[in-house]
Every structure is written in structure tokens, then in C-alpha cells.
């Protein structure tokens, strides 16, 4: 990611002032986007962070609480972020020095700031650690240091912090002494990729989401079965998906809505290949759906389409709810014809970065998580996230 100096940002914001004291940010690219349960955040190419959607506990980071922000709002503070990740009710990001900041709900210490007090602006994660990745889950957060050591903090139900410690308000090391290259957090489980490409998971395993061939919970990392080597991994509610070093996608865990993409709606206790023989460059997992970007740039999604989170029409019907809803147990192409380079699957919505840097979102919009300036209903196809307005002096 290319980061520019603060002086450049100041000069950009000062352009094109309008009479009401606001100015549209000059055209620039999104470098990243992350979809949470009811809100979304993104990073612009120059490093500024924006968030939108539900802001009940300050998870948008603009200094307010108890609001809904249907359009992108600037995260407070003179921060340039190189990575951002959104969980259930908290958001976290890394600045170029490797220091981690979080904001939003801090129940059981999910912000890592040695407190259970929520924050509507970014606060530093305690401990003085230098991270290369941070991942925000359901009431907890994990990060990888620059040396590959995993730390987690927050609620430790089912052992998802990777240690036998009680819930932690500051980072605690994951047991096992592994060196990891990537980490991902879900609702009740966590997974990571070791330097040799092997995947390890820990936390709740009753739905097969640990990929160990059984339904046993584990408070420490356990090896995912199958002998596969991975280069990307993502976890969410009750399933996990990963991309092998050869580019094939595999999923495991709960599959009632077809979210494993293998043509079934079964629980899989070990990794199964996603159908279609696609080669993927990125993968993302939501509550009951999954998406992957093929090396061609085409975006495919599978699983539940109850809220239009697949971004296209699904031809199957799932009935694991009071009323039937559309779903797909096979990857289907997202509508619109765009080619993408980044994707993030949230609770019941999806966002992606198109080639060229435009951000698009679709799916459930009850709390403004699509970022189109409106709330309510569902957005069936990729909708561009508009440029925000910022006050200028």
C-alpha cells in the first residue's frame, strides 16, 4: 500500500471548498474495505480511514455514539492506516509503525486498552507490541506481531483467545509457540496460517469450524486436517474458508445454507474443495455466506442470499428459518461485470474493492452498512460507496 505524508493529505483536503464549508475528497482509490456485522470501514489510498453503518457504541469512530451513519464518516484522529478490520461492534486498524488502535465496544476488553469502557475514537492497544495484522471478531480481537507471534484479547468464551487465560483486557499470547503469517477471527473460533502453510484453528469446534475431523472445542491451536498448505484464510460465524497455495478454495464447518460452496448443505469437519475449479486470489466469509475473487478478477459468492448478500440471483431455496429464502450451494457470479481486487463479507452484506479503487457494497442495509446514504431494505447488486464530505478551514 502506498502511503503519503500528512502534508499531502492536508493539501488534498483543502481543494475545492464549497460554500457550506465542506469539500468532496478529490477522486482517490480505496485501498481496503472491511465488513462487520452491522457496519463497514475502509481505507483510502492515502491512508485515511472511513466507516459507515451502525454506530450504537462508537464503532464508526467519528466521536459520536447512538447514531446511524449511512454515508462514510471520517475516523477521528490524525491517523494514516495501513490495515483495518471490523468485527461485531468494534473496529481496529494498524498505523505504519505497527501500532494497533481500536474503537467501539470494549466488553471484556475487545479494544485491548486495559478497560471495558467503550470508545468512539481510536484508542491504542496496550502492551507496546508491533503488529503486522489485526483481526476483529465477536467481542474479541487478535493480532500478529512482526515476528509472527499471535496475541488475542477480549472475551474468551470457548477458548477463542487461544489460551486458558480468562477474558483479557490486554493482549495475551496464543499458546503453542507457533509462528504465523496470517490470522482471522470469527464469532467463537480463530484460525491462522503457520509459516509452512499449515492451518491451525482454536475455540469452538462443535460445528466443524476447526477443521479437525471432529466436533471438539479447543482452547489452544489444533492442526486443520487434510495436509493442505494455505496462503489466505477467513473465519466468521460457524465456518471457515481458505485458499491453498495452488489457488484452490476450501471450506469447512456449518453448511446449512450452502456457504461451503461444495454443492451440499452439510456440515464438513474437514476442508472440502469449493466447486467450480476456480483459482482464487482472495476469499471472505460472512455469517452464512462466502465470496472469492478469481484470478481473473471476477467475484463469486455462495451460501445464503436471504438479504441479497450474494450480489446476484440465487436459484436454490433454503428453509432453515421460519420462511424459505434463496441460497446457492455453488459459487455464482456477482452481477455488474466489475472486476475486483479485494472483498469482505459481513453479517448480511458484502463489500469489495474494484480494480481501479472504487468501493462497492450490497446486501442488508438496515443500519446503513451499504454506505449509499440511505437506511432500510436490501441492495441486490453492487452499489458504489460515494465519496464523503469533510469540513475544511
Amino acid at each position: 500500500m502506498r502511503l503519503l505524508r500528512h502534508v499531502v493529505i492536508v493539501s488534498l483536503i483543502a481543494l475545492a471548498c464549497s460554500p457550506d464549508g465542506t469539500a468532496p475528497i478529490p477522486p482517490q482509490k480505496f485501498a481496503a474495505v472491511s465488513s462487520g456485522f452491522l457496519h463497514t470501514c475502509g481505507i483510502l489510498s492515502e491512508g485515511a480511514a472511513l466507516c459507515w453503518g451502525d454506530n450504537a457504541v462508537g464503532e464508526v469512530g467519528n466521536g459520536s455514539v447512538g447514531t446511524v451513519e449511512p454515508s462514510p464518516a471520517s475516523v477521528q484522529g490524525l491517523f494514516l492506516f495501513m490495515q483495518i478490520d471490523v468485527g461485531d461492534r468494534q473496529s481496529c486498524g494498524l498505523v505504519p509503525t505497527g501500532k494497533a488502535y481500536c474503537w467501539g465496544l470494549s466488553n471484556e476488553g475487545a479494544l485491548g486498552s486495559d478497560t471495558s469502557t467503550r470508545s468512539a475514537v481510536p484508542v491504542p492497544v496496550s502492551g507496546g507490541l508491533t503488529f503486522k495484522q489485526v483481526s476483529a471478531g465477536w467481542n474479541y480481537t487478535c493480532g500478529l506481531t512482526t515476528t509472527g507471534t499471535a496475541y488475542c484479547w477480549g472475551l474468551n468464551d470457548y477458548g477463542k483467545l487461544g489460551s486458558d487465560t480468562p477474558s483479557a483486557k490486554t493482549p495475551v499470547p496464543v499458546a503453542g509457540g507457533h509462528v504465523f503469517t496470517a490470522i482471522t477471527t470469527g464469532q467463537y473460533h480463530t484460525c491462522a496460517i503457520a509459516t509452512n502453510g499449515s492451518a491451525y484453528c482454536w475455540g469452538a469446534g462443535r460445528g466443524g469450524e476447526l477443521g479437525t475431523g471432529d466436533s471438539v472445542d479447543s482452547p489452544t491451536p489444533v492442526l486443520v486436517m487434510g495436509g493442505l498448505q494455505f496462503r489466505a484464510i477467513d473465519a466468521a460465524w460457524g465456518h471457515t474458508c481458505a485458499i491453498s497455495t495452488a489457488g484452490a478454495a476450501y471450506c469447512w464447518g456449518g453448511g446449512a445454507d450452502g456457504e461451503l460452496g461444495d454443492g451440499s448443505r452439510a456440515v464438513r469437519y474437514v476442508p472440502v474443495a469449493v466447486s467450480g475449479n476456480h483459482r482464487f486470489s482472495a476469499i471472505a466469509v460472512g455469517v452464512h455466506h462466502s465470496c472469492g475473487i478469481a484470478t481473473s478478477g471476477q467475484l463469486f459468492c455462495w451460501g445464503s442470499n436471504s438479504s441479497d448478500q450474494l450480489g446476484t440471483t440465487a436459484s436454490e431455496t433454503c428453509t432453515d428459518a421460519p420462511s424459505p429464502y434463496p441460497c446457492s450451494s455453488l459459487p455464482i457470479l456477482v452481477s455488474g461485470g466489475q472486476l475486483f481486487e479485494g472483498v469482505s463479507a459481513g453479517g448480511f452484506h458484502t463489500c469489495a474493492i474494484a480494480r481501479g479503487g472504487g468501493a462497492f457494497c450490497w446486501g442488508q442495509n438496515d443500519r446503513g452498512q451499504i454506505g449509499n446514504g440511505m437506511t432500510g431494505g436490501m441492495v441486490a447488486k453492487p452499489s458504489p460507496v460515494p465519496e464523503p464530505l469533510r469540513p475544511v478551514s
Side-chain angles (χ1 to χ4, degrees):
M1 182 184 306
R2 184 170 60 90
L3 297 177
L4 305 180
R5 295 181 184 272
H6 287 279
V7 65
V8 177
I9 297 172
V10 172
S11 63
L12 285 173
I13 295 173
L15 294 175
C17 183
S18 60
D20 64 357
T22 62
I25 297 175
Q28 54 191 297
K29 299 178 181 179
F30 273 86
V33 68
S34 180
S35 306
F37 191 66
L38 293 172
H39 76 292
T40 309
C41 292
I43 302 176
L44 297 175
S45 58
E46 37 84 349
L50 309 167
C51 296
W52 56 94
D54 188 59
N55 193 37
V57 291
E59 56 265 58
V60 167
N62 65 345
S64 63
V65 296
T67 64
V68 172
E69 305 290 347
S71 298
S74 297
V75 174
Q76 280 197 8
L78 296 176
F79 299 106
L80 292 178
F81 289 96
M82 64 178 185
Q83 191 239 326
I84 200 164
D85 200 63
V86 173
D88 177 22
R89 292 297 181 93
Q90 88 275 21
S91 310
C92 296
L94 295 183
V95 299
T97 61
K99 191 171 185 177
Y101 290 82
C102 295
W103 55 97
L105 188 66
S106 193
N107 280 6
E108 306 293 340
L111 301 189
S113 57
D114 200 19
T115 178
S116 294
T117 303
R118 70 189 183 190
S119 177
V121 298
V123 292
V125 173
S126 300
L129 297 165
T130 302
F131 293 99
K132 63 180 179 181
Q133 187 198 347
V134 65
S135 180
W138 270 255
N139 295 315
Y140 80 115
T141 307
C142 294
L144 283 185
T145 67
T146 52
T147 60
T149 302
Y151 286 82
C152 296
W153 54 94
L155 186 64
N156 197 26
D157 49 343
Y158 302 98
K160 63 192 182 186
L161 298 190
S163 66
D164 58 4
T165 183
S167 298
K169 296 179 182 178
T170 59
V172 293
V174 172
H178 302 284
V179 178
F180 295 115
T181 60
I183 194 166
T184 179
T185 52
Q187 184 188 23
Y188 300 124
H189 76 293
T190 309
C191 295
I193 299 174
T195 53
N196 66 356
S198 298
Y200 289 82
C201 295
W202 56 93
R206 59 201 59 193
E209 56 266 60
L210 301 188
T212 55
D214 55 36
S215 57
V216 179
D217 299 345
S218 178
T220 57
V222 287
L223 183 66
V224 173
M225 292 184 65
L228 296 162
Q229 292 181 315
F230 298 103
R231 56 179 172 84
I233 193 166
D234 200 32
W237 190 272
H239 73 292
T240 310
C241 293
I243 301 174
S244 73
T245 52
Y250 292 82
C251 297
W252 56 94
D257 291 327
E259 56 263 63
L260 304 187
D262 67 338
S264 77
R265 298 182 202 161
V267 174
R268 302 294 190 185
Y269 294 95
V270 297
V272 292
V274 173
S275 298
N277 294 318
H278 302 291
R279 289 295 177 265
F280 291 98
S281 60
I283 200 153
V285 171
V287 170
H288 294 298
H289 74 294
S290 310
C291 296
I293 300 177
T295 53
S296 63
Q298 292 178 305
L299 178 57
F300 295 87
C301 293
W302 54 95
S304 172
N305 203 31
S306 62
S307 300
D308 289 327
Q309 61 264 54
L310 300 189
T312 189
T313 301
S315 59
E316 300 175 39
T317 301
C318 286
T319 56
D320 293 329
S323 59
Y325 52 93
C327 61
S328 178
S329 61
L330 297 171
I332 50 179
L333 185 65
V334 171
S335 300
Q338 293 98 341
L339 298 180
F340 293 94
E341 58 186 25
V343 62
S344 180
F348 299 92
H349 73 292
T350 308
C351 294
I353 304 295
R355 289 183 177 177
F360 293 81
C361 295
W362 59 94
Q364 183 65 50
N365 196 37
D366 55 332
R367 304 296 290 176
Q369 57 265 52
I370 300 303
N372 62 358
M374 298 179 287
T375 59
M378 296 177 289
V379 177
K381 298 179 181 180
S383 172
V385 177
E387 295 177 3
L389 296 178
R390 283 183 180 175
V392 296
S393 55

